[in-house]
Amino acid sequence: MYTTIRYEVKDGVGIATINRPEALNALNSTVIEDLSALVNEIENDKALRGLIITGEGRSFVAGADIAEQCPLDLAGGRTWGRRGSALFRKIELLEIPTIAAVNGFALGGGCELAMACDIILASEKAKFGQPEVSLGITPGFSGTQRLARRIGAARAKELIFSGKMIKADEAKEVGLVNAVHAPEALLDAAMEMAQSFAKNAPIAVKYSKACIDRGLQMDLDSGIAMENELFAMCFGTEDQKEGMTAFLEKRPAQFKNK
């Protein structure tokens, strides 16, 4: 169905592998189209409980395709940037938890794709960076915004102004990456984490994600008010009744996403 992406669902978790290894999985128009179509599919899959995004071969995504960007003029650059940013925002706004399993290079658009996910897990071989200034451009798929929000403005400026790459251990140290794993253990670790999310009440997980993401854009009092409302809404679900009843009866809960 997709030209540049392999997609499968395993135990309620989607696994999307960007499959353009001959170009280090660089983002060209076809990859962006495939990812957009996949996100639309995922949005409509009410049985899905999580999504893992990874790359084929030795790269996660080694940036956007330079050959496609090189001839762009001002209008073309604006369209290209808006297209990528809109896609990554759609990924960020998915109601289910998303995990980037970064197996290799995550540079430019690849780092930006990883940051659009809720969690970033890295292989020991992974490398991260926003090298766009060495090409005469700024990060274009929201990198200046998400990197600063993840690791703080000063560190983000250092990485973006220098264009340097950092290894997985440094990425973890600065707070970009949640955990670092041996290459052969990365996908299993991502699946284990996704399953730890998926076993819980889907509506409660969805509301918790919304509370965190939306709350970070609000003042504290507004964020607390939103959390109180979503907390209350949980009590109108079957899953709340099942979860608390199962706890009292000392048995595993059987959630139905209702």
Side-chain angles (χ1 to χ4, degrees):
M1 180 178 179
Y2 302 109
T3 305
T4 61
I5 298 172
R6 290 199 316 274
Y7 181 64
E8 61 177 323
V9 177
K10 181 178 179 182
D11 298 328
V13 176
I15 304 171
T17 304
I18 299 173
N19 187 27
R20 197 177 173 231
E22 73 284 354
L24 296 178
N25 301 323
L27 299 171
N28 63 3
S29 292
T30 305
V31 178
I32 290 174
E33 287 170 7
D34 281 349
L35 270 175
S36 296
L38 178 60
V39 172
N40 290 337
E41 177 183 340
I42 289 167
E43 285 178 328
N44 294 314
D45 187 350
K46 302 308 178 185
L48 205 64
R49 296 290 175 263
L51 173 67
I52 296 168
I53 300 177
T54 192
E56 179 64 35
R58 62 191 182 94
S59 179
F60 177 71
V61 168
D65 194 303
I66 304 303
E68 187 164 351
Q69 291 181 84
C70 187
L72 297 177
D73 59 10
L74 188 152
R78 180 178 293 115
T79 298
W80 177 255
R82 286 176 174 173
R83 189 179 178 195
S85 290
L87 167 60
F88 290 0
R89 184 65 171 147
K90 284 185 70 175
I91 292 171
E92 189 171 47
L93 290 174
L94 285 171
E95 294 182 337
I96 57 174
T98 54
I99 300 171
V102 178
N103 52 300
F105 295 112
L107 306 176
C111 188
E112 290 163 323
L113 173 58
M115 291 190 294
C117 296
D118 297 311
I119 307 288
I120 302 176
L121 302 182
S123 158
E124 292 167 345
K125 295 183 177 180
K127 293 183 179 179
F128 297 83
Q130 300 282 169
E132 287 89 346
V133 294
S134 69
L135 301 169
I137 57 175
T138 68
F141 292 171
S142 310
T144 59
Q145 302 307 299
R146 289 198 179 93
L147 188 61
R149 283 166 168 79
R150 284 208 178 227
I151 68 173
R155 287 187 183 274
K157 287 174 181 177
E158 179 185 350
L159 288 176
I160 291 171
F161 296 172
S162 68
K164 71 178 182 180
M165 287 191 298
I166 58 173
K167 295 180 180 179
D169 55 351
E170 186 175 352
K172 183 177 185 297
E173 180 184 340
V174 300
L176 179 59
V177 165
N178 289 66
V180 179
H181 299 277
E184 64 275 11
L186 178 63
L187 272 180
D188 286 343
M191 180 59 72
E192 182 179 353
M193 179 177 283
Q195 290 295 336
S196 77
F197 302 156
K199 71 179 182 181
N200 295 313
I203 295 172
V205 172
K206 175 178 72 175
Y207 286 176
S208 295
K209 176 174 175 173
C211 282
I212 295 169
D213 289 347
R214 295 178 194 172
L216 287 172
Q217 310 305 316
M218 300 177 179
D219 64 85
L220 182 58
D221 288 331
S222 298
I224 290 170
M226 176 187 60
E227 181 190 282
N228 288 343
E229 183 59 27
L230 290 178
F231 171 75
M233 287 171 63
C234 291
F235 286 83
T237 68
E238 293 181 19
D239 281 352
Q240 175 267 328
K241 300 295 185 289
E242 166 62 14
M244 292 190 176
T245 299
F247 176 84
L248 293 172
E249 295 177 352
K250 296 181 172 56
R251 61 172 175 81
Q254 301 295 320
F255 295 117
K256 297 180 180 179
N257 197 22
K258 295 181 180 179

